[in-house]
């Protein structure tokens, strides 16, 4: 097992919760304590298991990898999935009270990058025009038929409340706890975890009817198979895309069937880690409308105008709003807040004051 530092501030558990909310697709698996992901290490796909440790200011991952793999190398790749922009976010928060209030409510929440290009594209295509949970079901079916299963030893005895103040009795980056501390100290649970990875060659050889049997639409089946074929043949790869500017990446990706501008922008934001707002995405539009426009659904152009000042903090700010939308925004996808006491009213969006009267 490796103890791998993560550049903070990051709320690891809170950021990873996006995978629990969207459903278990067997590719990125998070149950609130354990993260399972397969990723390329030294030229082969390796199953990994990680538990958050440390604090928001000083986070770390306790990482195990499948037999024969380098857990330290895998852990460094996992740690790189949490981009931060603390200076840019602080500057934005100083100028934008909406972002300031959400960032204060959810410190350390940010995007989790998916470094595997095929997985990222399949995730984006599968989620087009259907619920996120059904999209996860489709991906699970797909990877069971056209993927590889990885068995991973599970790190045990780990403190998982990364946003809780540290306790001397809890594990730090340097090793095991001296004594048991307060909180959720895990010493039980499964000793192995299961995670899957897609095989580009096998998926490229699939027939459209095969994916239709899995309940992919005809258009999505064509798109997934075509992109898998390009990956398998080396016609598209992440290092090449990473050398291009944003517009060139979009131009290259939209040449593939089933990939439009919004899908390409999600690849910019959540695979390449660029500060890109996916202004046409329904969830982003809802979040911006709930936060800035009293719940009114904005157009793509309005979202671009409203968020144009986000600058280099755009990736983190976008994820903060989406997280807030899914957990607390009243009437916009998250649970309503408790009713206010008599004689006062609660804020209905982060830009409003919660003072009485």
């Amino acid at each position: 097992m490796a103890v791998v530092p993560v550049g903070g501030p990051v709320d690891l558990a809170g950021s990873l919760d996006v995978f629990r909310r969207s459903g278990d697709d067997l590719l990125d698996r998070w149950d609130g304590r354990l993260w399972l992901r397969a990723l390329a290490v030294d030229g082969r796909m390796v199953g990994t298991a990680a538990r958050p440790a440390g604090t928001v200011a000083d986070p770390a991952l306790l990482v195990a990898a499948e037999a024969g793999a380098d857990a330290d190398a895998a852990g460094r790749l996992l740690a790189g999935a949490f981009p931060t922009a603390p200076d840019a976010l602080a500057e934005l928060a100083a100028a934008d009270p909406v972002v300031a209030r959400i960032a204060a409510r959810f410190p350390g929440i940010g995007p989790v990058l998916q470094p595997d290009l095929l997985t990222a594209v399949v995730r984006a295509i599968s989620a087009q025009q259907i619920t996120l949970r059904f999209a996860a079901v489709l991906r699970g079916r797909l990877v069971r038929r056209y993927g590889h299963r990885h068995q991973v030893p599970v790190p045990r005895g780990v403190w998982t409340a990364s946003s809780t103040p540290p306790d001397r009795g809890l594990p730090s980056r340097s090793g095991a706890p001296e004594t048991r501390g307060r909180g959720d100290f895990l010493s039980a649970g499964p000793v192995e975890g299961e995670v899957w990875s897609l095989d580009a060659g096998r998926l490229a050889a699939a027939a459209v009817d095969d994916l239709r049997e899995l309940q992919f639409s005809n258009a999505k089946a064509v798109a997934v198979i075509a992109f898998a074929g390009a990956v398998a043949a080396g016609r598209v790869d992440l290092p090449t895309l990473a050398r291009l500017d944003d517009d060139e990446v979009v131009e290259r990706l939209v040449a593939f069937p089933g990939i439009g501008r919004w899908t390409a922008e999600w690849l910019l934001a959540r695979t390449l880690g660029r500060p890109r707002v996916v202004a046409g995405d329904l969830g982003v539009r809802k979040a911006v409308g709930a936060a800035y426009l009293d719940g009114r659904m904005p157009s793509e152009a309005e979202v671009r105008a409203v968020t144009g000042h986000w600058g280099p903090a755009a990736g983190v700010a976008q994820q903060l709003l989406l997280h807030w939308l899914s957990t607390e925004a009243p009437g916009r996808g998250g649970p309503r807040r408790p009713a206010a006491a008599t004689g006062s009213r609660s804020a209905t969006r982060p830009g409003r004051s919660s003072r009485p009267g």
Side-chain angles (χ1 to χ4, degrees), residues 115-139:
D116 183 73
L117 183 59
L118 178 60
T119 300
V121 168
V122 168
R123 174 171 287 147
I125 290 173
S126 67
Q128 292 170 356
Q129 298 180 326
I130 61 175
T131 67
L132 294 179
R133 286 194 169 271
F134 185 55
V137 171
L138 293 182
R139 292 193 298 274

Side-chain angles (χ1 to χ4, degrees), residues 37 65-66 89 91 117 134 233 250 252 257 261 316 328 339 343:
R37 167 180 277 190
E66 67 180 274
L89 183 62
E91 183 176 344
L117 183 59
F134 185 55
V250 171
R252 183 75 59 90
R261 183 177 184 85
V316 176
E328 289 192 350

Side-chain angles (χ1 to χ4, degrees), residues 58-346:
D58 190 29
L61 291 169
L62 284 82
V63 179
E66 67 180 274
D70 185 340
D72 286 294
R76 288 191 293 271
L77 292 171
L78 291 176
F82 299 92
T84 61
D87 294 340
L89 183 62
E91 183 176 344
L92 174 60
D96 185 328
V98 171
V99 171
R101 293 185 187 208
I102 297 178
R105 175 67 185 88
F106 301 107
I109 292 293
V112 183
L113 304 186
Q114 171 50 261
D116 183 73
L117 183 59
L118 178 60
T119 300
V121 168
V122 168
R123 174 171 287 147
I125 290 173
S126 67
Q128 292 170 356
Q129 298 180 326
I130 61 175
T131 67
L132 294 179
R133 286 194 169 271
F134 185 55
V137 171
L138 293 182
R139 292 193 298 274
R141 294 171 182 171
L142 188 74
V143 75
R144 283 191 182 275
R145 185 173 292 190
Y146 301 104
H148 299 286
R149 179 173 176 264
H150 305 266
Q151 289 291 111
V152 191
V154 172
R156 303 175 74 188
V158 179
W159 176 251
T160 60
S162 61
S163 60
T164 302
D167 186 296
R168 287 186 178 274
L170 301 175
S172 66
R173 291 181 179 178
S174 59
E178 298 173 8
T179 60
R180 179 167 177 155
R182 296 171 297 162
D184 188 10
F185 181 72
L186 301 176
S187 58
V191 295
E192 280 198 328
E194 174 185 303
V195 67
W196 291 70
S197 63
L198 286 166
D199 184 313
R202 291 175 63 187
L203 187 51
V208 170
D209 286 346
D210 296 333
L211 269 66
R212 294 282 289 144
E213 290 179 3
L214 304 180
Q215 290 189 278
F216 279 79
S217 69
N218 193 79
K220 289 181 181 181
V222 169
V224 166
I225 292 170
F227 197 82
V231 171
R235 296 196 305 273
V236 60
D237 62 81
L238 200 57
T240 299
L241 294 178
R243 292 193 292 268
L244 304 178
D245 65 28
D246 287 5
D247 290 341
E248 290 172 323
V249 172
V250 171
E251 182 181 2
R252 183 75 59 90
L253 290 174
V254 298
F256 291 95
I259 298 182
R261 183 177 184 85
W262 302 343
T263 299
E265 287 184 330
W266 274 126
L267 268 290
L268 285 170
R270 289 188 175 168
T271 298
L272 294 173
R274 307 276 178 89
R276 189 79 171 200
V277 175
V278 188
D281 180 82
L282 180 62
V284 175
R285 290 170 59 205
K286 284 182 178 179
V288 170
Y292 287 94
L293 303 172
D294 290 311
R296 178 176 63 82
M297 178 70 81
S299 67
E300 179 178 355
E302 286 178 300
V303 171
R304 295 194 188 281
V306 168
T307 63
H309 64 290
W310 283 2
V316 176
Q318 177 171 246
Q319 192 59 34
L320 277 166
L321 262 68
L322 288 170
H323 185 86
W324 169 75
L325 177 75
S326 68
T327 56
E328 289 192 350
R332 306 303 300 175
R336 289 189 178 273
R337 297 172 185 170
T342 304
S344 67
R345 65 185 183 188
S346 297

